[in-house]
Structure formats: C-alpha cells, structure tokens
C-alpha cells in the first residue's frame, strides 16, 4: 500500500504517471528542480534542465520507488516530493529508504519536518513499516537536522557511499536489541 496522508499544511499522494497530467507535472517538477535543489540530490541522478528531462526524471523515480507528490493543502501547489524505496532488513523487517525534496521557495519553513512527521504518523498508524532509513550528504546539514528533530538516530553504514550520513527511525525495538 502506498502511503497517503495530510499534515497541517501539506498533502502527500502517490503519483501514477498514467493518471496524473504528465505534462503539467513535468512542468511543475522542472520549476522545483532548480540548480540549488538538484545540488542536494544523489549525484547519480541526471540533471534536469527541460520538460522532457523532467518527464524522464519522474519516470525513473516511479520505476525505482514509491513517488509521492507533496502539495500545499491551501492551494494544491506542488512543493516537493517524497521518495520511498522498500527493502527488508534482517532482524528489523520491512524498511523504507526515505528521500524528500522541496522546492527552494519552500525551504526554511518547517515543511520538511512536517512532511517527515506526517509519514512517521502514517507508518505508526498502519504498522506496515518497521524502520525508516535516510541518507544525507554531509554538505546538506539542514536535512540532517530535519531527521534528528524527528527522532532519527545517526547510524554507521560501512558499505554506504563516502560523504553520506545515514539515519534510522525504528517503530519498534528490533529483535535482539537491548
């Protein structure tokens, strides 16, 4: 089941490229993915500089993950995306790797924290996910602060990419943990 939830100011809903207006969504995505926003994204993701690249970006994200559009409740404007990749962790259970991005105009308003807290509340209510995990580039400390503020703990992942800090939040105590 794809998560879908509302917070005080935001709505997060799954994107299906078959049902959503792809052209409008691609244009809105292009507007969000400014160079500053793209600097915060994983380095292996290609740059987005036109509508066709935005369509390809959306297609790639929906093929590799659960992609949710994040919109303002007040007017329905697209403000960002929530990206969730399910995995199974031994001794933990179902885990979602969490990624999120907000357009520059929506930074420093508490929306990222609100979004992550909304996802956490949905996970707690539906009890389908044992753990959320997120990776943050060391040169993006504000994203790390969002996760810490939401109760995530920094973890060491020796196999993780260099320059990336990882954080986890467990909805219950993992088996064998003290």
């Amino acid at each position: 089941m794809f998560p879908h939830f509302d917070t005080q100011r935001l709505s997060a809903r799954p994107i299906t490229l078959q049902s959503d207006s792809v052209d409008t969504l691609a244009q809105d995505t292009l507007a969000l993915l400014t160079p500053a926003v793209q600097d915060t994204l994983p380095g292996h993701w290609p740059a987005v500089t036109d509508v066709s690249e935005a369509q390809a970006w959306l297609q790639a994200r929906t093929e590799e993950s659960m992609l949710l559009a994040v919109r303002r409740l007040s007017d329905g404007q697209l403000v960002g995306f929530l990206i969730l990749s399910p995995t199974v962790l031994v001794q933990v259970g179902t885990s979602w790797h969490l990624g999120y991005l907000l357009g520059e105009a929506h930074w420093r308003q508490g929306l990222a924290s609100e979004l992550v807290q909304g996802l956490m509340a949905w996970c707690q209510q539906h009890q389908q996910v044992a753990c959320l995990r997120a990776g943050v580039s060391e040169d993006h400390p504000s994203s790390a602060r969002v996760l810490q503020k939401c109760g995530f703990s920094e973890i060491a992942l020796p196999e993780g990419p260099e320059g990336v800090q990882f954080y986890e939040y467990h909805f219950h105590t993992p088996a064998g943990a003290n």
Side-chain angles (χ1 to χ4, degrees):
M1 172 193 289
F2 274 54
H4 54 281
F5 57 90
D6 293 339
T7 67
Q8 183 177 354
R9 298 176 288 174
L10 302 172
S11 172
R13 297 289 183 271
I15 291 175
T16 57
L17 296 181
Q18 295 77 27
S19 65
D20 289 311
S21 171
V22 177
D23 291 337
T24 301
L25 184 59
Q27 291 170 354
D28 291 347
T29 300
L30 178 61
L32 280 182
L33 294 178
T34 62
V37 171
Q38 290 188 57
D39 283 346
T40 68
L41 301 179
H44 65 277
W45 286 2
V48 175
T49 60
D50 61 34
V51 172
S52 65
E53 290 174 348
Q55 288 174 333
W57 186 91
L58 288 164
Q59 184 68 41
R61 300 299 75 76
T62 58
E63 288 174 2
E64 70 187 12
S65 61
M66 295 183 282
L67 181 64
L68 285 75
V70 179
R71 298 182 182 278
R72 269 196 316 233
L73 280 175
S74 62
D75 61 7
Q77 179 187 7
L78 183 70
V79 299
F81 294 100
L82 183 61
I83 304 161
L84 301 168
S85 300
T87 59
V88 176
L89 299 175
V90 176
Q91 295 188 353
V92 174
T94 301
S95 172
W96 284 349
H97 189 94
L98 158 68
Y100 52 88
L101 67 91
L102 296 175
E104 265 183 282
H106 310 287
W107 290 358
R108 295 184 256 311
Q109 298 174 32
L111 295 178
S113 296
E114 184 175 326
L115 177 63
V116 172
Q117 289 168 346
L119 174 64
M120 293 170 70
W122 187 93
C123 290
Q124 189 73 39
Q125 179 182 358
H126 293 275
Q127 298 184 359
Q128 295 181 356
V129 179
C131 171
L132 292 174
R133 179 179 281 180
V136 178
S137 171
E138 289 176 344
D139 53 351
H140 195 51
S142 58
S143 193
R145 282 192 299 276
V146 165
L147 296 170
Q148 291 166 342
K149 179 180 175 182
C150 291
F152 282 65
S153 300
E154 187 171 359
I155 61 166
L157 281 184
E159 73 276 9
E162 191 170 324
V164 177
Q165 299 169 305
F166 286 89
Y167 295 84
E168 278 186 349
Y169 183 88
H170 291 268
F171 292 98
H172 57 78
T173 303
N178 293 331

